[in-house]
Amino acid sequence: TLDRSSAASDVYKRQVLRVLIQKSGEPINKQQILDRIVTDDADINLEAIEVLVHRLRKKLAETGVQITTMRGMGYCLENAVDN
């Protein structure tokens, strides 16, 4: 599960965004994201990744950058103008 504290959520959102930026233009699935951001003591799961991506989409809505879902492949960070 995702820690409900705003500070913890912000940390995870930044980590997910960092992973998406590193793989910009390429799909990355939830498990791969989870593997890259989780430490041994983290209490986060695949459903939490979905929530974090949803929150990031809202924050990125006006930036010209979007997170798209590539069915069966994962998430992809893209420039919205290119689509």
Side-chain angles (χ1 to χ4, degrees), residues 8-78:
S9 176
D10 287 346
V11 168
Y12 285 127
K13 278 190 285 191
R14 282 193 300 272
Q15 291 177 342
V16 170
L17 183 57
R18 178 183 45 81
V19 170
L20 289 169
I21 289 170
Q22 290 171 345
K23 299 286 286 182
S24 185
E26 300 176 30
I28 184 167
N29 67 43
K30 290 182 279 188
Q31 186 62 55
Q32 291 169 318
I33 294 171
L34 189 64
D35 291 345
R36 290 178 183 221
I37 69 169
V38 170
T39 60
D40 291 338
D41 61 336
D43 186 24
I44 186 170
N45 57 29
L46 294 177
E47 290 78 21
I49 298 297
E50 292 175 11
V51 171
L52 292 166
V53 168
H54 174 75
R55 292 176 185 170
L56 281 168
R57 282 180 169 144
K58 285 183 174 181
K59 289 200 176 275
L60 294 173
E62 302 297 322
T63 67
V65 174
Q66 66 185 10
I67 301 170
T68 57
T69 301
M70 301 180 77
R71 188 175 177 134
M73 298 177 73
Y75 298 112
C76 185
L77 186 69
E78 300 177 318

